[in-house]
Amino acid sequence: MRTAFGILGPILALGVLVGGVLAGGGCKGEQRCDDHSECLTTELCSDDSLCVHNPCFNRVEGDFVECDGEDAVSCDASQMPVVVACGQYGCTDGALGCAACVPGSGESCNANDVITCDANGLIESSAFCVTGCVELAGGEAECESCVPETVACYDSFLVSCDAAGVSTGQECGFGCNSNLDPPVCNDCAPDEQACDGEELMICGADGMEASREACPYGCAQGRQMCNECYPDDLACVGDDLVTCGPLGLPVEIDECENGCDVENDRCYDCVPDTTTCSGDDLVDCGSGGEVASQITCDHGCDSTRKACNDCTPSTVECVGGDLVTCGGDGLVAETTACTLGCNATALRCNIFQPTGLDWTDVTAGNDPLVVLDGQTALIDTENEIVWVNGSPVSGYGSRTATWGGFTTGWVISFSYVDIRGNVQITGSQSLALVARTTITVANNARVDASGHLDVPGPGGAAPGDAHLANGGNTICDGGGFPGGGGGGHAGLGGNGSAVTGYTTGQGGSVVNDWQLNPLLGGGAGGSCNIFGVGGAAGGNLLLVAGESIHIVSGSVVHASGGGGQDASAGGGAGGLISVEAPTVTVEGTLRAAGGGGGCWGGQGADGWYSSSGCLDSSANGGDGGPRGTNTSDLSGEAGGVPQSIYGAGGGGAAGIIIVNVGPSQGAPSLSGSYPLIPDATSMAAHVGNITPE
């Protein structure tokens, strides 16, 4: 469009009246206007910069002003005149704008309509022709005739023609399909789909319904598609919780890990009626999918068993005093009760270093040593052999230990030791009998490591071993038969009785070797003449077990000295017995007494059964220590008052007994009449605790 000023301007400048519009007029003070603001509110500025009357003042958009040739002048929304091109029919004042048809043309065709045009170019009448419109000569028009007894498509109409050639038409909403015989209206828009109630109809290329799809969530008329969910709804779809938008499309999908609660439209917190692991937590789920209980497992949760682990998988740990080995499945594979407690740093049961030995000696044995009731056994430390009932024993650990001083030891290790028959121990080396687990001496059995007359126990001193300072004196001045001195150990050896005018034999000195560093053992008795032989010392015996040692009532372990033989010889001192285990129970007896002194024509008793000195009318031999009920007197008794030239030998001193137990037991269990000889209250008995590590 264009403004009216280019056409009206020259006319208005001449000051003539055109179409009722006042031409001419001037600006205020006959001045030319530069814009509309210079004119009155009822005026406008023309192309010649003159203020002229505004024909659109106070008029609405579309109001007709006048015809400008073939064009029409009307008002726009801003109350300004604009020119509208009218096209082929031009502008008429009678039409108040553009003409709709050729003015005064009579009948003509307008598409499928037969119209009548009046003199002002307005349509006076109109008739629709389903078969189309035909213009005739002479300013007439009519509907096109149809072929009798036919059905045909005319644009979007389906026309039926009767035998008289009269047609009736039906407008097809989706078009007319002439490809079919007879032609029909399309059921639907070809190759499209549309909602039909709660169903989606699929249209084929021929405009016929091809299929229908039931829409479970309704059909969206705007999209002509099935809804994927109920509009503006929250609901479970399988295991998903779906938030549906207003268009029936999901706007949010929450994948429910544990399933979706259809009744309450929410994700389950957990799988209903199950027990599962969530990290280190064990979760019990209720029937409604809510957490019924949740326990944090100390050792983690096993998702296979759906249970808390009993222990940390594939680990070894201390639980109280137990060493617990955990399998890969979190179940306890093995539990070891640690007698000495559990070492949480080294992750093992506590061990101890036996006096004079090493923990590896405790674990070295593979097979047991078993001496049944009625059987006898021999352990020879010199030849390093073990016999039970005349047959050699094998399967034990064996090594030689050195404990300083003048003695070595043979260390033999078994898995366990069970002695119910008598065992004799001999040889030049001391003996350490070691068990991985337990040592039991029962059934009135006797474990004999004592000296017998002049034959020493294992590692003990024999008469005449001058290298031992605690031996009885064997050098006596003068003639006659003075008594020989007894061997010393925990106490002094008893002096032999002197014969008038002659030197007596002195008893051996005290040796405090209970720590085995060095291990000297007891001394042998002395003799002052060729007719007598001093008693041998008791042996040195170490019993060590990784768990416990039990000396059952009626059974005896002894390492006592031998008695002096004839001609007033001194008795041998008791040896050394060391017992070490986490638990020690002595209901029988541990005995390390000195041997009795000899007299002319007789011998003192071996200490393993009596310790009494020889009884003679000329002079009595001294008793071995400890003497009588005086447990503090560990020394051997001096020989009795000589008669004429006949003296008597002194008694051997008491030996040493060591008992060490674990801190959990505190002290060994000692019961019976005489569990320790010498007694536990004496200086010869050392009762204490082993140190776990």
Side-chain angles (χ1 to χ4, degrees):
M1 294 186 293
R2 53 192 174 89
T3 62
F5 306 131
I7 299 174
L8 300 178
I11 300 174
L12 294 175
L14 295 176
V16 297
L17 181 63
V18 180
V21 178
L22 179 64
C27 297
K28 287 183 276 186
E30 296 296 327
Q31 295 178 2
R32 296 173 63 84
C33 62
D34 294 325
D35 56 46
H36 183 67
S37 65
E38 297 292 334
C39 301
L40 298 175
T41 57
T42 59
E43 297 176 328
L44 53 82
C45 190
S46 69
D47 288 347
D48 292 330
S49 300
L50 294 176
C51 289
V52 297
H53 175 71
N54 181 7
C56 287
F57 177 71
N58 266 352
R59 300 183 69 176
V60 298
E61 181 181 7
D63 278 0
F64 174 73
V65 176
E66 63 182 359
C67 287
D68 182 10
E70 296 297 318
D71 298 329
V73 178
S74 62
C75 298
D76 65 11
S78 60
Q79 297 184 8
M80 296 291 287
V82 293
V83 176
V84 180
C86 288
Q88 61 176 334
Y89 301 124
C91 179
T92 66
D93 292 332
L96 298 178
C98 294
C101 53
V102 179
S105 61
E107 291 183 341
S108 64
C109 289
N110 183 13
N112 281 7
D113 294 338
V114 176
I115 63 173
T116 302
C117 192
D118 64 11
N120 293 316
L122 298 177
I123 297 175
E124 187 176 28
S125 64
S126 175
F128 176 72
C129 300
V130 294
T131 56
C133 181
V134 178
E135 291 183 348
L136 304 176
E140 293 183 356
E142 66 179 7
C143 290
E144 186 176 355
S145 61
C146 60
V147 178
E149 297 182 348
T150 61
V151 177
C153 289
Y154 290 89
D155 294 328
S156 61
F157 288 89
L158 180 65
V159 178
S160 299
C161 192
D162 63 13
V166 177
S167 62
T168 56
Q170 172 190 354
E171 186 174 10
C172 299
F174 299 105
C176 189
N177 190 339
S178 60
N179 294 322
L180 298 179
D181 187 16
V184 295
C185 285
N186 289 329
D187 291 338
C188 48
D191 294 321
E192 294 185 7
Q193 58 189 30
C195 291
D196 185 7
E198 298 297 310
E199 295 181 327
L200 181 66
M201 183 181 68
I202 312 299
C203 193
D206 57 0
M208 298 292 104
E209 179 181 328
S211 62
R212 282 179 177 267
E213 177 183 342
C215 298
Y217 304 109
C219 195
Q221 295 290 341
R223 297 184 296 110
Q224 299 300 318
M225 296 181 68
C226 286
N227 291 325
E228 295 181 19
C229 50
Y230 290 115
D232 298 317
D233 190 27
L234 178 68
C236 291
V237 179
D239 286 336
D240 295 336
L241 183 63
V242 177
T243 301
C244 196
L247 299 179
L249 296 174
V251 295
E252 182 179 354
I253 298 177
D254 186 3
E255 296 181 0
C256 299
E257 180 181 356
N258 301 308
C260 197
D261 185 348
V262 177
E263 293 183 0
N264 299 299
D265 293 327
R266 68 177 186 91
C267 287
Y268 286 127
D269 298 329
C270 49
V271 180
D273 298 317
T274 62
T275 300
T276 57
C277 290
S278 177
D280 287 337
D281 291 350
L282 181 66
V283 179
D284 284 327
C285 194
S287 58
E290 76 287 350
V291 175
S293 66
Q294 186 164 352
I295 302 172
T296 299
C297 302
D298 293 337
H299 303 288
C301 191
D302 189 300
S303 57
T304 301
R305 294 184 293 105
K306 296 180 176 57
C308 285
N309 291 324
D310 294 339
C311 49
T312 304
S314 303
T315 62
V316 177
E317 61 181 340
C318 291
V319 179
D322 295 338
L323 182 67
V324 177
T325 301
C326 192
D329 56 0
L331 298 177
V332 175
E334 181 180 3
T335 299
T336 302
C338 299
T339 308
L340 295 175
C342 193
N343 190 319
T345 301
L347 294 179
R348 58 168 171 77
C349 287
N350 283 328
I351 61 174
F352 67 96
Q353 300 300 332
T355 304
L357 299 175
D358 188 81
W359 178 253
T360 56
D361 295 319
V362 179
T363 60
N366 294 321
D367 294 340
L369 172 62
V370 177
V371 182
L372 300 177
D373 182 22
Q375 293 182 334
T376 59
L378 171 65
I379 301 176
D380 182 353
T381 65
E382 185 165 348
N383 297 299
E384 297 187 351
I385 56 175
V386 179
W387 295 76
V388 174
N389 246 26
S391 300
V393 174
S394 60
Y396 55 86
S398 172
R399 76 175 182 93
T400 300
T402 301
W403 294 311
F406 305 99
T407 182
T408 60
W410 186 37
V411 182
I412 53 176
S413 304
F414 296 89
S415 58
Y416 67 90
V417 175
D418 188 5
I419 297 174
R420 299 177 184 274
N422 294 335
V423 178
Q424 183 70 48
I425 306 172
T426 63
S428 58
Q429 298 187 95
S430 301
L431 177 67
L433 180 60
V434 185
R436 182 190 298 268
T437 56
T438 61
I439 294 178
T440 302
V441 182
N443 203 43
N444 299 320
R446 185 176 74 244
V447 178
D448 185 354
S450 294
H452 295 275
L453 299 178
D454 59 346
V455 179
D465 283 345
H467 60 278
L468 296 177
N470 59 339
N473 192 353
T474 59
I475 301 175
C476 309
D477 296 334
F481 302 96
H489 197 181
L492 296 171
N495 293 331
S497 57
V499 175
T500 303
Y502 301 100
T503 303
T504 187
Q506 298 294 314
S509 61
V510 174
V511 174
N512 191 2
D513 59 350
W514 66 275
Q515 292 182 320
L516 312 189
N517 188 25
L519 171 60
L520 297 175
S527 176
C528 291
N529 57 75
I530 61 174
F531 299 106
V533 179
N540 305 310
L541 174 62
L542 282 65
L543 300 179
V544 177
E547 295 180 4
S548 66
I549 295 177
H550 189 186
I551 311 300
V552 180
S553 177
S555 299
V556 180
V557 177
H558 56 84
S560 299
Q565 297 183 63
D566 206 0
S568 310
L576 179 143
I577 300 175
S578 176
V579 178
E580 288 186 318
T583 302
V584 174
T585 301
V586 180
E587 299 162 343
T589 302
L590 302 178
R591 181 182 180 92
C599 60
W600 184 258
Q603 66 182 40
D606 287 340
W608 71 269
Y609 71 91
S610 174
S611 296
S612 297
C614 174
L615 299 178
D616 186 82
S617 59
S618 58
N620 295 331
D623 291 342
R627 302 204 302 274
T629 58
N630 185 4
T631 56
S632 63
D633 192 350
L634 304 174
S635 299
E637 184 183 27
V641 177
Q643 298 294 328
S644 181
I645 62 173
Y646 304 107
I656 291 177
I657 293 180
I658 304 165
V659 181
N660 288 328
V661 298
S664 60
Q665 187 181 18
S669 175
L670 305 176
S671 61
S673 299
Y674 301 103
L676 302 184
I677 301 176
D679 190 81
T681 61
S682 73
M683 295 297 294
H686 298 270
V687 178
N689 295 112
I690 56 181
T691 302
E693 59 183 51

